[in-house]
Amino acid sequence: MSRRWLASGLVLAFSLAASAAGAVEPPNVQALHVYIVDYNTGSVLYDKAGTEKLHPASMSKLMTLYMLFDALKRGDVKLTDNFHVSKKAWSTQGSKMFVPIDGDIMVEDLIRGIIVQSGNDACVVVAEGLAGSEEAFADRMNKKGAEIGLKNSFFVNASGLPDPNHLMTAQDLYVLANRLFADFPEFYHYFSEKEFVFNKIKQGNRNPLLYRPGTGVDGLKTGHTEEAGFGLTASAIRDGRRIFMVVHGMTSMQDRADETGQLLDWAFRSFGDYTVAKKDTILAQANVWMGQQKTVPLTVAQDLLVTLPVSERDKIQVKAVYDGPVAAPVAAGQPVGELVMTIPGMPEFRAPLVAAQEVPQLGFGGRVVAMLQQMIFGPEQAQAEQPPAEQQPQPQTQTN
């Protein structure tokens, strides 16, 4: 009968180096919604009302950009194509690119007009250019949003202008920003542009962290209305590690600049990405029943990268568990058990363990002997009577 076993020989030396230490407790900020995620691992570092619906204001322009980038990537439009400016687009209120009525605007200029200048008028031009009307475009936004994993978002317009039904969550804004970065790397560079001149009017990017040395911020979008307050969806990279951050519901531009910078520094300082197990490195041994070897070495199918609190890295506990003994034959790569890692104050982390090599089944005579041994001595002693397995070297944890 299969029973839950602790695998033998598990050695993971968690001497994880980090350049800075910090507390896991986040800074005290006034923002109503915060959602911070490590891009490499998908680990959520801070979730404050992340699934609560909010008015995203101009941060929802990221969905308009997703639709435009998607059309560009499919070849439906080109950067050099022109979209016509209707009276509705020209008269749209709020932040503006200052498109001329009855003019024709190049798509690449519209991208910059949305990202850098946060032009509501530019968003309407894009919506009408792609779908014929802003209403039809909003329907497409909702359909595409559901396809890419936005679970709690509903779009009424292309710009984020106030509407009681135009809603997102901080979590969905993260998902959208992540998808923009992953799906359209060829267009992501527009988010880092600091200024754009159109119609002889120069405007600067409203993202305050683009102007601060050392932040590593290279996108994405701010938002503000009287009802929503001030918000920022941002992404930053430092030393090869990328973090996405959504902060919303602040009361001033200064608070937005200060609190987002503070939270970003905290996220990079307080957590690190660590490779705790390398693919094909032997981590443990599992007992095998009716096999030509009495144990099978266990490994992970791919490098195991995890995000851990820097201050808690010496408190990690790791164990390998499996239902065993594992019945032969065992195929190389066959899932056998799990690597279970626990850290105080964090959810338990689990990753699959697989057989590092095949173990053929004993021949008929060997199986008969093994069955007799089990009947006489019990399963544990019968396992001990099998020929000893070759000893495998044990790994040390790698840092990243």
Side-chain angles (χ1 to χ4, degrees):
M1 179 179 293
S2 177
R3 288 187 289 175
R4 202 64 170 166
W5 292 68
L6 287 178
S8 63
L10 183 66
V11 177
L12 291 176
F14 283 98
S15 55
L16 303 181
S19 60
V24 177
E25 191 69 26
N28 182 23
V29 294
Q30 300 304 311
L32 300 179
H33 306 88
V34 181
Y35 202 74
I36 304 176
V37 182
D38 184 286
Y39 174 75
N40 290 335
T41 65
S43 298
V44 179
L45 309 183
Y46 188 14
D47 181 354
K48 180 180 181 181
T51 58
E52 182 177 286
K53 290 186 178 181
L54 53 84
H55 296 283
S58 287
M59 291 188 292
S60 70
K61 288 182 170 75
L62 293 174
M63 190 65 208
T64 299
L65 290 162
Y66 191 96
M67 302 295 290
L68 181 53
F69 292 164
D70 191 44
L72 285 163
K73 194 158 192 171
R74 291 198 313 268
D76 294 346
V77 297
K78 301 188 295 291
L79 289 172
T80 54
D81 285 347
N82 290 297
F83 286 167
H84 191 70
V85 180
S86 68
K87 182 178 179 180
K88 176 184 177 180
W90 170 78
S91 62
T92 302
Q93 298 302 304
S95 54
K96 285 178 173 287
M97 179 183 176
F98 295 103
V99 297
I101 189 170
D102 209 29
D104 294 297
I105 313 297
M106 193 168 64
V107 167
E108 188 169 31
D109 286 342
L110 289 166
I111 292 172
R112 293 188 167 103
I114 295 172
I115 292 175
V116 179
Q117 300 172 331
S118 198
N120 295 333
D121 51 358
C123 289
V124 178
V125 173
V126 168
E128 293 177 343
L130 290 178
S133 72
E134 191 173 14
E135 293 74 20
F137 185 71
D139 289 340
R140 293 187 186 184
M141 293 170 75
N142 288 318
K143 182 179 178 181
K144 179 62 71 173
E147 289 176 5
I148 65 174
L150 306 188
K151 297 179 180 178
N152 294 290
S153 295
F154 187 78
F155 303 99
V156 176
N157 56 59
S159 63
L161 280 169
D163 185 289
N165 296 316
H166 191 96
L167 298 167
M168 297 187 73
T169 65
Q171 185 182 63
D172 276 2
L173 280 163
Y174 151 69
V175 171
L176 178 54
N178 186 310
R179 290 298 299 262
L180 280 164
F181 176 79
D183 295 351
F184 310 112
E186 66 270 40
F187 303 128
Y188 186 77
H189 65 91
Y190 291 111
F191 288 107
S192 63
E193 295 187 8
K194 295 179 182 177
E195 61 182 36
F196 179 53
V197 179
F198 183 80
N199 206 7
K200 298 182 180 180
I201 301 170
K202 183 170 77 171
Q203 297 187 63
N205 196 311
R206 291 161 170 77
N207 185 341
L209 300 185
L210 285 176
Y211 303 93
R212 289 190 180 180
T215 65
V217 170
D218 53 14
L220 296 157
K221 191 74 188 70
T222 59
H224 169 251
T225 63
E226 290 298 323
E227 183 177 10
F230 290 82
L232 174 64
T233 298
S235 180
I237 187 166
R238 300 181 190 177
D239 298 324
R241 179 176 169 226
R242 180 170 291 277
I243 284 177
F244 282 90
M245 173 180 68
V246 180
V247 189
H248 177 268
M250 293 160 284
T251 57
S252 70
M253 291 179 66
Q254 190 63 53
D255 283 345
R256 176 168 63 189
D258 293 343
E259 293 196 0
T260 55
Q262 191 178 9
L263 285 164
L264 193 62
D265 286 343
W266 166 82
F268 277 110
R269 181 181 64 244
S270 300
F271 296 87
D273 286 351
Y274 305 101
T275 302
V276 299
K278 286 278 192 179
K279 178 183 177 180
D280 298 330
T281 302
I282 306 306
L283 302 175
Q285 301 282 338
N287 292 332
V288 177
W289 172 241
M290 296 286 186
Q292 293 182 20
Q293 296 176 212
K294 73 173 184 179
T295 63
V296 61
L298 304 183
T299 186
V300 286
Q302 57 188 9
D303 290 355
L304 183 57
L305 181 71
V306 297
T307 301
L308 304 173
V310 172
S311 61
E312 302 294 320
R313 66 192 187 278
D314 58 343
K315 301 176 183 177
I316 298 169
Q317 294 185 346
V318 180
K319 60 184 178 181
V321 296
Y322 69 98
D323 291 325
V326 182
V330 181
Q334 175 182 324
V336 172
E338 289 184 311
L339 185 70
V340 181
M341 183 167 60
T342 57
I343 307 169
M346 291 188 68
E348 190 174 72
F349 180 87
R350 291 175 175 265
L353 286 171
V354 300
Q357 63 186 51
E358 68 172 340
V359 178
Q361 191 178 48
L362 287 168
F364 176 75
R367 295 199 302 275
V368 170
V369 171
M371 288 295 295
L372 290 172
Q373 289 175 339
Q374 181 179 13
M375 292 172 61
I376 298 171
F377 302 110
E380 287 82 1
Q381 184 62 30
Q383 280 294 116
E385 293 299 325
Q386 292 189 48
E390 180 182 351
Q391 293 298 309
Q392 301 288 346
Q394 303 301 326
Q396 289 195 351
T397 298
Q398 305 295 317
T399 59
N400 182 47

